[in-house]
Amino acid sequence: MTQKLDAYRLSEEPFYRPSGNEITLYEHAYRHRLPLILKGPTGCGKTRFIEFMAWKLDRPLVTLACNEDMTSSDLIGRYLLDAQGTAWHDGPLTLAVRYGGICYLDEVVEARQDTTVVIHPLTDARRILPLDKKGEVIHAHPDFQLVVSYNPGYQSQSKDMKPSTRQRFAALKFDYPDPKLEATIVAHEASITFDLAERLVGIATRSRALKNHGIDEGISTRMLIYAGVLIGSGVDPRESCDMTMTCAITDDPDITKALQGFVEAYFV
Amino acid sequence: MANSYELSSQYTPWVFIRAQWKEIGLDKLAYAIDSQLTLITKKYNTTQILDTIHWLEILNEENPECALALASRLNMVLSRIDLESFGRWVLTGLRMYPRDHDRQLAYFQLDDPQALQALNNEAGEGSLLAALPSLSLLLHGLAGKELELQPQHQSSLYGPPLRPVLTLKNLLIPDDYTHLDGSDRYRLYRAAIAHAVAHLSYSEPSLPVQTLKPMGIAVISAIEDARVERLLKLDYPGVEGWFLEFLRRGVKPQELSFAALIGRMNLALMDTHYQDDNYWVNKARRLFETKENDLHDYDAFRELASILANDLGQMRVPFHITHYTVPESYRDDNSFLWDFTNANNPLPETISLQIEGPANQEKQEKTTRPDETTEKVCTKEIELSRHFYPEWDYKLSLMRNDWCTVIEKIPSQHARHGLNNRNKSDVKDISLLRTRSQCQTRLLRRQWEGDDIDINAAIEVMVDKRQGLSPDPRLFLRRKSEEQMSSTIVLLDLSESSNDIVGIRMESILDIEKNAALLLVQSLVKSEDRIAVHGFSSNTRVEVNYYRLLEFGTPLDTNTTEIIRSVPGRYSTRIGAALRHATSHVKLEKTNHHSILLITDGAPADVDIYDASYLIEDASAAVQECKKSGVRIFCLALDPQAQSYVSKIFGHYNYRIVDNPISLPKQLASIYQQLVSL
């Protein structure tokens, strides 16, 4: 039966460097199938972490990027028409529940709160998924685990999880790795020297100090990797940083100029 | 000419000054300004015109002929440059031709090609005022801590050029850099910031001077400057270029004065390619390089500096403390490094003048403003109603019911001031905001027509058809632009501290708050969104004054504008009670979203509370209550040190610290749009 999820298995080990004991904690949580929230700023490695854990635990990973137009049918499935009549098609959540995968709802707060309520019976001791339209109740496969991610930086109460949803999860908090580790990650992912990666991380660290002083979030590890990739392919470092970092992160001319100052402080 | 005179006669502050000038025999200068006033009054506000007149006044004290020449050409000069550049252009002329009256006169008559060149240079360069917001962010990011960046005004025409002043909490940047200091002033400001960051990161501040002589202090300071810049270069390789540009610019290779030798040494210590033929300079470089691998050893470099200072003494190089200014315009005056309290030598005059900082300048400015006497606050206000609110006592974990009395009042009609304060840049901000749309789109399901098929509805249609039932034909999806009507109260902190003067324009924080609120209201003229401007101050828990300055749905007319501008800043800041009252008002609005945007300049405080945490905890409780009732709250804090208490009160994401008050209108508009579009 698990062949249905074979397409969702990761064939190669994703590159991930732990910044704390998150791997051990996750393994413990998975052993008890605790639903998990991964929370942290944009581009700090949440998705990469869950990919790594799915690979390490040898479980299929069913990922769904949430958005505000998403309905519960998009999660659990719907009847579709075929030559014989109507046929039920499992949604990604149902697939993971039925066949035993890790279901990862990325940026879960982007979905409307009434949509995410369908996960409630899956995230307590019952571990069931009622399919009302189909008249079926699925008992979750023993390997099933629900993991959601979100970025607490959003400044909206409407884009927050309901307390009744939130309290069903254990949480792992992510942040940008410490500078040395972040430089190692950037150097590996972008195939650049450690010294160059360190400079990029320095720029990002400076930008993160401006959080709540004009920008909501600083430059992410992902942006640094983009910059590194461009530099690695021969683009001038300052132009690479402008393209992937300063211009990308803000439209405000004052903040742009300050960020360009950071770039110029690191690159002659 | 008659028209000019007529206009100038109506221009009250100028009439006042002209009468004074007449008494002291400055008729000619007054007449020259009369003839130029027509155009200037159209372009600038009262404060700015008074600043211009002040420049002419002090130029007249030094050289009446030059002042008269400039006054007669005021329109021409001001048509090319703004007022900030005007002061610098005057200083450029005086510094270019020191003690040469003929050439100075030619400069101010615009007969000297250098004068026109200087005008062009000034016109092409960015102002300190415009650069401050980005420079504040650059300083914050590089230093990694909160530091207030302030402009420093030059008040003397023939005084030495100003140098930045660094303290643990402030960096003052001179506003008198001319194009003689650098062709691109932003790069100069940037170098000044990097140098300050070098001191903050690697220098020990306030070391006792003890028996050091002024020359020794100057040499040790220069070596320390070089040491910390070298260290900073290891962190930020790019800053070497920032420093070298100005080190090279200031160097005078043939001169042997103390300042010239220090300048040559400073360049030699940073630029490996620089060749100098002076023995002392080369000795300094050689000694410095022997310690190059031990840059963190302050004592070793101080010993080195003492040797060099001793050499200069033996070389009989004259040193005059009153004439000495740090040669590089981006480097600070080094007062950060020294504590002169127990010094055997008197405090160097140049340093002591600059240490006074902005507070001293504010006092000076305050005493020279002729219209200030009219700004006495009349406190007769009309009380409208009283409301009682609870207050949270965190020590007892007790909500004290009916503890605070909020008194709604109509502010008194006291002396109007600053009604013409709005300048051109503000007007530009308004037009920018008008273009923004406040619409939100929503996906409507089961529509008669639309852009896409609603898959669930379509399947039901097909199922119904096969079952022989009559299907519901509403099977489309449609995106609909929906007016998400919002109601927002801009809540102004009207406490005494908001009267503090900041920035080059010498505006109070309160005036900046009011201007920002007025601009925001004006920008929403064409919007369906509803906005109100309220303000508060407190004088113990029994008197939390609350002013509904602009009500929801009320147009912003002249009268309302005057009311907003005239409300005084006084007493204290009891944020909790004010927020609870503002919430009660905004909740009456029948719109989709309710928000309160608080603008404050400091932590909550009141004279009847001695525990600094008490009102912070209460404000935090009030914010939680507001959130529970569905009101969004966001705070704009005009205090660079606000991080500790605003995050406690408003949560980690519902505030923004405005490092530079000048950027408040822009930040307020941006936060407002963010709030209403969520």
Side-chain angles (χ1 to χ4, degrees):
Chain A
M1 287 291 273
T2 51
Q3 287 171 354
K4 290 246 181 193
L5 291 181
D6 279 352
Y8 294 94
R9 287 184 188 277
L10 288 107
S11 54
E12 287 179 19
E13 178 183 358
F15 174 77
Y16 183 78
R17 287 285 174 274
S19 55
N21 59 346
E22 69 270 23
I23 293 177
T24 313
L25 289 174
Y26 186 95
E27 284 172 337
H28 280 290
Y30 185 76
R31 198 169 300 144
H32 301 282
R33 305 297 186 265
L34 294 181
L36 267 184
I37 294 177
L38 310 183
K39 60 177 183 177
T42 302
C44 71
K46 301 185 292 291
T47 302
R48 180 61 65 88
F49 171 70
I50 192 67
E51 285 177 349
F52 174 77
M53 291 311 301
W55 176 86
K56 192 164 190 286
L57 297 167
D58 192 23
R59 295 284 177 272
L61 177 68
V62 182
T63 302
L64 190 64
C66 300
N67 62 72
E68 63 179 9
D69 289 336
M70 200 170 76
T71 64
S72 54
S73 298
D74 295 326
L75 276 175
I76 60 172
R78 53 168 57 91
Y79 276 109
L80 293 176
L81 295 168
D82 59 20
Q84 283 73 46
T86 55
W88 175 263
H89 284 249
D90 283 340
L93 175 64
T94 311
L95 271 180
V97 172
R98 206 187 284 279
Y99 303 112
I102 296 170
C103 181
Y104 179 56
L105 304 181
D106 199 5
E107 300 293 355
V108 71
V109 289
E110 292 294 334
R112 290 198 312 275
Q113 292 180 342
D114 55 337
T115 302
T116 44
V117 164
V118 299
I119 64 178
H120 281 197
L122 272 176
T123 48
D124 54 29
R126 292 173 288 172
R127 281 176 58 87
I128 55 169
L129 179 63
L131 304 178
D132 293 341
K133 289 180 183 170
K134 195 168 179 250
E136 181 187 356
V137 174
I138 308 175
H139 288 268
H141 189 282
D143 292 343
F144 167 77
Q145 187 193 24
L146 182 64
V147 181
V148 302
S149 79
Y150 89 109
N151 175 0
Y154 292 124
Q155 299 173 345
S156 165
Q157 291 152 26
S158 60
K159 283 188 176 172
D160 205 352
M161 294 172 83
K162 276 175 181 255
S164 58
T165 306
R166 198 182 185 110
Q167 291 193 9
R168 292 162 185 275
F169 289 85
L172 278 176
K173 189 179 173 193
F174 284 73
D175 207 340
Y176 301 114
D178 72 68
K180 291 276 179 211
L181 180 60
E182 192 170 18
T184 310
I185 294 167
V186 174
H188 177 274
E189 290 288 273
S191 304
I192 54 174
T193 62
F194 183 77
D195 171 61
L196 186 56
E198 257 193 325
R199 292 192 195 192
L200 292 173
V201 170
I203 296 167
T205 310
R206 307 275 85 75
S207 78
R208 289 166 197 164
L210 302 186
K211 188 177 171 183
N212 290 323
H213 289 259
I215 52 175
D216 295 329
E217 273 184 359
I219 291 166
S220 68
T221 313
R222 180 167 41 220
M223 286 176 140
L224 299 183
I225 294 168
Y226 289 168
V229 166
L230 288 188
I231 296 170
S233 67
V235 181
D236 174 70
R238 281 158 67 161
E239 284 180 330
S240 302
C241 292
D242 266 356
M243 190 172 162
T244 57
M245 285 148 59
T246 52
C247 290
I249 201 170
T250 182
D251 299 321
D252 185 301
D254 293 331
I255 297 171
T256 304
K257 210 163 187 182
L259 294 175
Q260 280 167 345
F262 300 153
V263 173
E264 287 170 25
Y266 280 97
F267 291 105
V268 182
Chain B
M1 186 59 67
N3 284 343
S4 303
Y5 185 81
E6 199 175 301
L7 193 137
S8 61
S9 305
Q10 295 163 1
Y11 198 62
T12 317
W14 170 233
V15 171
F16 176 78
I17 294 170
R18 194 174 50 188
Q20 280 187 334
W21 281 15
K22 201 174 176 183
E23 282 175 24
I24 55 173
L26 297 180
D27 296 40
K28 275 188 183 173
L29 189 61
Y31 185 74
I33 291 177
D34 272 343
S35 67
Q36 304 283 312
L37 212 58
T38 321
L39 290 176
I40 301 172
T41 48
K42 284 181 186 167
K43 195 174 173 186
Y44 296 108
N45 68 34
T46 306
T47 314
Q48 292 170 319
I49 294 169
L50 289 174
D51 283 346
T52 318
I53 292 171
H54 181 62
W55 274 109
L56 289 167
E57 206 170 8
I58 52 177
L59 182 60
N60 182 71
E61 285 168 17
E62 303 293 341
N63 190 332
E65 269 187 294
C66 288
L68 193 59
L70 178 56
S72 311
R73 291 159 183 82
L74 210 51
N75 276 331
M76 195 271 169
V77 172
L78 288 177
S79 67
R80 305 279 292 273
I81 52 176
D82 62 15
L83 273 179
E84 193 189 325
S85 311
F86 177 75
R88 283 196 298 267
W89 181 77
V90 172
L91 287 172
T92 304
L94 298 175
R95 288 177 189 172
M96 202 182 285
Y97 306 118
R99 293 180 291 282
D100 186 342
H101 281 213
D102 290 344
R103 298 189 79 175
Q104 283 179 3
L105 184 60
Y107 181 91
F108 290 110
Q109 284 174 335
L110 303 180
D111 293 337
D112 180 0
Q114 292 289 343
L116 293 171
Q117 182 61 43
L119 267 183
N120 290 336
N121 288 335
E122 291 296 342
E125 288 172 5
S127 74
L128 176 59
L129 192 67
L132 273 178
S134 73
L135 291 171
S136 294
L137 295 168
L138 184 67
L139 174 62
H140 185 162
L142 291 180
K145 63 182 196 177
E146 312 270 356
L147 218 73
E148 195 167 350
L149 189 66
Q150 294 176 334
Q152 184 190 186
H153 302 288
Q154 174 61 278
S155 54
S156 166
L157 284 186
Y158 288 98
L162 293 179
R163 293 291 175 253
V165 180
L166 176 66
T167 71
L168 288 172
K169 290 187 173 176
N170 302 77
L171 174 62
L172 306 182
I173 298 272
D175 68 348
D176 74 332
Y177 287 143
T178 67
H179 81 274
L180 300 176
D181 296 301
S183 53
D184 182 343
R185 249 192 321 273
Y186 187 84
R187 297 169 77 89
L188 189 52
Y189 302 142
R190 199 177 61 168
I193 281 173
H195 183 76
V197 170
H199 277 311
L200 288 167
S201 307
Y202 298 111
S203 285
E204 181 81 23
S206 306
L207 289 173
V209 165
Q210 292 173 335
T211 55
L212 278 176
K213 292 197 163 53
M215 185 195 270
I217 296 172
V219 178
I220 294 169
S221 300
I223 293 291
E224 177 65 359
D225 283 344
R227 185 183 75 89
V228 296
E229 282 187 4
R230 284 278 192 103
L231 280 167
L232 192 76
K233 201 178 89 174
L234 298 177
D235 294 338
Y236 305 110
V239 297
E240 183 182 10
W242 301 9
F243 298 139
L244 278 178
E245 179 181 348
F246 299 103
L247 284 166
R248 286 175 184 148
R249 190 178 184 93
V251 79
K252 294 169 182 165
Q254 304 308 321
E255 286 194 23
L256 292 169
S257 67
F258 178 82
L261 284 171
I262 291 287
R264 291 163 71 172
M265 177 190 76
N266 290 341
L267 178 59
L269 298 185
M270 185 59 85
D271 185 355
T272 48
H273 303 295
Y274 174 67
Q275 297 293 326
D276 199 294
D277 56 5
N278 184 275
Y279 174 78
W280 182 83
V281 171
N282 286 320
K283 180 180 179 182
R285 177 187 258 170
R286 201 175 59 249
L287 289 175
F288 197 94
E289 280 169 3
T290 58
K291 314 274 183 195
E292 201 173 22
N293 296 325
D294 214 4
L295 287 169
H296 288 282
D297 187 355
Y298 172 81
D299 292 335
F301 283 90
R302 178 142 177 184
E303 193 184 320
L304 179 164
S306 299
I307 295 169
L308 292 171
N310 192 44
D311 286 354
L312 285 177
Q314 290 186 346
M315 288 156 66
R316 301 275 188 269
V317 175
F319 178 78
H320 304 288
I321 183 65
T322 47
H323 296 148
Y324 178 68
T325 307
V326 175
E328 291 75 24
S329 46
Y330 73 88
R331 285 186 175 176
D332 64 279
D333 66 352
N334 286 316
S335 55
F336 176 77
L337 299 175
W338 303 107
D339 177 5
F340 292 93
T341 44
N342 293 319
N344 288 354
N345 297 300
L347 186 65
E349 194 181 343
T350 46
I351 293 177
S352 68
L353 280 172
Q354 296 189 12
I355 283 174
E356 296 286 338
N360 186 37
Q361 289 156 18
E362 280 161 22
K363 281 176 202 159
Q364 289 174 4
E365 288 288 335
K366 277 181 180 176
T367 54
T368 55
R369 294 192 177 276
D371 58 345
E372 192 166 74
T373 49
T374 60
E375 291 190 12
K376 285 185 178 170
V377 176
C378 164
T379 54
K380 285 178 189 169
E381 295 174 326
I382 302 163
E383 183 176 323
L384 294 175
S385 58
R386 284 176 179 251
H387 308 263
F388 300 97
Y389 288 96
E391 192 164 87
W392 173 247
D393 186 331
Y394 79 102
K395 281 193 170 166
L396 301 175
S397 293
L398 177 72
M399 188 63 91
R400 295 179 183 275
N401 288 325
D402 297 339
W403 194 249
C404 291
T405 310
V406 174
I407 308 170
E408 281 207 5
K409 292 178 176 177
I410 297 176
S412 60
Q413 290 287 329
H414 67 90
R416 298 169 191 173
H417 65 103
L419 291 182
N420 296 320
N421 268 354
R422 206 171 61 235
N423 61 19
K424 299 289 176 190
S425 62
D426 295 335
V427 174
K428 193 170 68 186
D429 287 343
I430 297 173
S431 56
L432 277 176
L433 264 176
R434 275 182 184 157
T435 60
R436 308 263 172 98
S437 162
Q438 307 294 331
C439 288
Q440 278 198 341
T441 56
R442 192 179 146 207
L443 200 60
L444 301 178
R445 297 182 178 280
R446 295 180 187 277
Q447 298 296 302
W448 291 101
E449 53 187 29
D451 312 318
D452 208 350
I453 289 178
D454 182 343
I455 189 74
N456 290 342
I459 289 163
E460 283 175 22
V461 166
M462 299 307 284
V463 171
D464 286 346
K465 272 188 174 175
R466 291 190 183 191
Q467 289 179 344
L469 302 172
S470 169
D472 182 349
R474 295 177 299 170
L475 49 82
F476 290 96
L477 286 176
R478 183 159 60 90
R479 287 189 181 274
K480 187 193 173 194
S481 288
E482 266 198 351
E483 288 290 335
Q484 293 286 308
M485 294 270 289
S486 71
S487 299
T488 305
I489 291 178
V490 178
L491 188 59
L492 306 178
D493 170 1
L494 303 175
S495 60
E496 178 67 38
S497 57
S498 63
N499 291 322
D500 289 352
I501 303 290
V502 292
I504 288 176
R505 292 184 198 166
M506 303 304 288
E507 283 179 292
S508 70
I509 290 175
L510 183 58
D511 281 339
I512 294 171
E513 282 183 21
K514 289 173 179 175
N515 273 335
L518 285 169
L519 282 168
L520 181 64
V521 173
Q522 286 167 19
S523 72
L524 297 172
V525 165
K526 292 184 177 174
S527 165
E528 295 292 319
D529 288 329
R530 289 163 66 80
I531 190 159
V533 180
H534 295 181
F536 73 98
S537 62
S538 66
N539 184 21
T540 75
R541 70 183 176 90
V542 297
E543 188 192 340
V544 181
N545 302 302
Y546 194 93
Y547 306 91
R548 283 193 277 161
L549 304 168
L550 175 73
E551 302 265 23
F552 282 115
T554 312
L556 184 68
D557 54 18
T558 317
N559 189 38
T560 321
T561 308
E562 282 182 22
I563 289 174
I564 293 176
R565 288 204 185 277
S566 65
V567 67
R570 55 196 173 139
Y571 304 138
S572 308
T573 318
R574 214 171 187 108
I575 290 178
L579 280 180
R580 290 181 179 101
H581 192 59
T583 304
S584 73
H585 278 299
V586 78
K587 285 298 287 177
L588 296 175
E589 287 288 297
K590 292 174 182 170
T591 47
N592 308 66
H593 302 298
H594 298 146
S595 313
I596 297 172
L597 245 167
L598 172 69
I599 306 175
T600 183
D601 68 320
D606 210 341
V607 287
D608 57 342
I609 299 295
Y610 303 103
D611 176 358
S613 299
Y614 178 89
L615 287 176
I616 291 175
E617 293 287 344
D618 172 58
S620 174
V623 168
Q624 293 307 319
E625 291 162 32
C626 299
K627 282 183 177 174
K628 273 182 195 161
S629 63
V631 178
R632 294 172 186 157
I633 297 200
F634 200 93
C635 172
L636 279 163
L638 287 157
D639 170 13
Q641 324 289 334
Q643 180 84 29
S644 56
Y645 61 87
V646 285
S647 62
K648 167 82 183 157
I649 296 173
F650 299 95
H652 287 294
Y653 307 105
N654 296 314
Y655 66 89
R656 183 175 287 181
I657 294 168
V658 183
D659 296 277
N660 198 309
I662 297 157
S663 66
L664 180 66
K666 196 172 75 174
Q667 301 230 27
L668 179 63
S670 121
I671 289 297
Y672 173 81
Q673 291 193 320
Q674 209 171 318
L675 260 187
V676 300
S677 64
L678 288 173

